[in-house]
Amino acid sequence: MKRAALLLAAVWLLAAGRLCGQSGGTLQLVHADSARGFVENGRIVRELMGSVEFMQDSSRMFCDRALQYPDEKLAIFSGRVRIVTPPRELLADQIYHYEVRREQIARGRARLITPRQLLTADALHYFEKEERALAEGRAVISDSTERAYLSGARIEYLRLKGYARVDGDPLFVRRDSTGTDSMTVRSRIMEMFEDGERILAREEVTIAQGEVSADCGELLFMRNGEKVLLTIQPEARRAGDFLRGSEIDLLLDKRVLRGIGIRGSAAVVTRVDTLASPDPKYDLISGEEIYVGITKNAIDSLHVRGRATSYYHLYDDKKYQGFNKVLGDEIMMNFKEQKVAWVGVKSAPAASNGVFHPAGQESPLLKEMEPFLQPFGLSPESLE
């Protein structure tokens, strides 16, 4: 019985060799330095060694060793495995290739290379018919031309749609040329659209961009517009500045933060320069919309529209003079060395107002500020 099985394996091996030049949708051997057939637990096996090459339709498979199970339509490639199906390429230490299902399971330094993305993981399951990949274990999808990547415990990637979903501590990183203004985003759920043109992060989102850090419920990064939109109770912090609103835009120019836009119950709290005031003091500006201009990682201007209100400390040659409140339809402020250098107000005469309280008499204005500071965990007197 054993001799008959071995004879059958030998006959199958010879027949398979004659099929090498034929075309069709089946897996065909192109080359191997050596081959042998045997029976393993009742299964007919063909083993091929040395510079092994197969083909199936437009795919080419290369490896050091292959085990082929004809009855199961299964081939196991091992040793420097590479499957080339233009425009993509799959590489790993070992790949299980299912001939009829047209699926591959890659293990050990698995890599899927496409024209736009590189997907790597400990294990990768590729579904050819759907052009879909499931990557698990230290999964990373990266775009080297954009110096950006997403990573997590598991990534599902739809190649034709340029879509990916990342689960398990998802992380998005986009580096600038110097590394000082890189963007880092973390959340519970993260998705990529159009091969990275948009990144959507949801639930417990945190972001760091240069000196700015923020928390929110949802974040949308738009590569073409160089903008990051924060929604669902967003809060941002930059050095001694605190920002809140219904929505916050981080506006970039060549990957460097150049401005911050705040909409809906917008508020910016700024800590007074510690050289001017060693004790914590805060300036406040609020309105329906606020634009914060940033130059060299420092706020250089503020523009407030709609019910604009500003509370700020006045200094003359670093000597504290008092506390000022300004109201109007629009307020513009310029800063120099982290202190207010100029204030302009646009408003109907009846809607414009200004109040100054000299040093030692600021208590009424400080009490007015308190509700704005509390959401940040601050008080007019101290930083918690």
Side-chain angles (χ1 to χ4, degrees), residues 146 148 172 174 183 185 191 193 196-201 207 209 218-230 250 252 255:
E146 284 295 317
F172 171 60
R174 184 177 186 244
M183 179 193 303
V185 179
E191 295 172 283
F193 300 89
E197 291 299 321
R198 293 178 292 128
I199 303 293
L200 177 64
I207 177 174
Q209 166 72 46
E218 186 169 290
L219 175 151
L220 178 62
F221 165 70
M222 292 161 276
R223 184 162 66 190
N224 282 342
E226 285 272 24
K227 184 171 81 170
V228 182
L229 171 62
L230 312 178
L250 303 182
L252 311 173
R255 305 186 182 226

Side-chain angles (χ1 to χ4, degrees), residues 29-35 47-54 62-66 78-80:
L29 176 65
V30 176
H31 177 270
D33 291 343
S34 64
E47 181 182 33
L48 304 117
M49 300 285 290
S51 301
V52 181
E53 180 180 350
F54 280 89
F62 306 90
C63 64
D64 293 333
R65 178 175 181 263
S78 58
R80 298 182 297 175

Side-chain angles (χ1 to χ4, degrees), residues 118-359:
L118 168 63
L119 177 61
T120 64
D122 293 335
L124 194 154
H125 192 163
Y126 196 77
F127 304 82
E128 284 191 22
K129 295 177 181 178
E130 304 171 40
E131 293 283 4
R132 179 170 68 98
L134 292 177
E136 294 186 308
R138 297 182 293 181
V140 179
I141 185 165
S142 60
D143 185 337
S144 59
T145 61
E146 284 295 317
R147 301 192 299 276
Y149 70 86
L150 293 97
S151 67
R154 182 178 184 273
I155 295 177
E156 180 182 16
Y157 175 49
L158 306 182
R159 188 183 73 83
L160 297 181
K161 294 183 178 180
Y163 169 85
R165 177 186 168 109
V166 187
D167 296 290
D169 298 321
L171 168 69
F172 171 60
V173 175
R174 184 177 186 244
R175 305 188 186 281
D176 72 327
S177 56
T178 65
T180 58
D181 245 304
S182 296
M183 179 193 303
T184 302
V185 179
R186 297 180 184 275
S187 66
R188 292 187 63 187
I189 301 170
M190 197 171 292
E191 295 172 283
M192 176 186 79
F193 300 89
E194 302 170 81
D195 279 311
E197 291 299 321
R198 293 178 292 128
I199 303 293
L200 177 64
R202 292 179 286 128
E203 299 183 19
E204 300 177 13
V205 183
T206 65
I207 177 174
Q209 166 72 46
E211 292 190 354
V212 173
S213 61
D215 303 301
C216 61
E218 186 169 290
L219 175 151
L220 178 62
F221 165 70
M222 292 161 276
R223 184 162 66 190
N224 282 342
E226 285 272 24
K227 184 171 81 170
V228 182
L229 171 62
L230 312 178
T231 57
I232 307 179
Q233 298 179 329
E235 288 188 11
R237 179 180 296 214
R238 187 211 143 271
D241 305 318
F242 305 84
L243 307 91
R244 282 175 63 94
S246 299
E247 297 182 342
I248 297 178
D249 293 329
L250 303 182
L251 307 171
L252 311 173
D253 180 19
K254 298 179 180 178
R255 305 186 182 226
V256 177
L257 186 65
R258 298 300 188 194
I260 302 175
I262 313 169
R263 294 180 299 280
S265 302
V268 176
V269 175
T270 302
R271 193 190 195 286
V272 175
D273 182 10
T274 55
L275 294 177
S277 172
D279 297 325
K281 295 181 185 295
Y282 301 96
D283 294 338
L284 164 70
I285 193 161
S286 66
E288 294 175 2
E289 294 184 7
I290 299 177
Y291 174 76
V292 182
I294 296 176
T295 302
K296 295 181 179 179
N297 283 323
I299 293 179
D300 65 2
S301 62
L302 281 170
H303 188 176
V304 190
R305 293 180 178 177
R307 297 182 297 173
T309 306
S310 175
Y311 300 83
Y312 60 95
H313 297 77
L314 287 177
Y315 288 84
D316 184 8
D317 194 23
K318 297 185 179 181
K319 184 177 180 181
Y320 178 51
Q321 301 296 313
F323 204 39
N324 206 32
K325 176 183 178 181
V326 176
L327 297 90
D329 293 330
E330 289 187 52
I331 296 177
M332 292 76 69
M333 305 179 74
N334 287 339
F335 294 82
K336 185 177 181 181
E337 297 178 354
Q338 301 184 48
K339 294 188 289 292
V340 177
W342 175 83
V343 178
V345 180
K346 286 185 179 181
S347 185
S352 180
N353 190 16
V355 178
F356 175 72
H357 286 227

Side-chain angles (χ1 to χ4, degrees), residues 23-91:
S23 62
T26 59
L27 186 64
Q28 304 291 332
L29 176 65
V30 176
H31 177 270
D33 291 343
S34 64
R36 71 185 182 99
F38 59 93
V39 175
E40 180 183 70
N41 298 325
R43 304 161 74 194
I44 297 175
V45 185
R46 179 165 66 154
E47 181 182 33
L48 304 117
M49 300 285 290
S51 301
V52 181
E53 180 180 350
F54 280 89
M55 63 180 289
Q56 185 172 3
D57 295 333
S58 62
S59 297
R60 295 293 184 273
M61 297 83 169
F62 306 90
C63 64
D64 293 333
R65 178 175 181 263
L67 294 176
Q68 197 173 6
Y69 299 84
D71 293 339
E72 301 165 49
K73 302 298 182 182
L74 166 67
I76 302 175
F77 307 127
S78 58
R80 298 182 297 175
V81 186
R82 184 163 62 100
I83 299 179
V84 181
T85 310
R88 56 177 164 77
E89 189 171 341
L90 180 63
L91 302 92

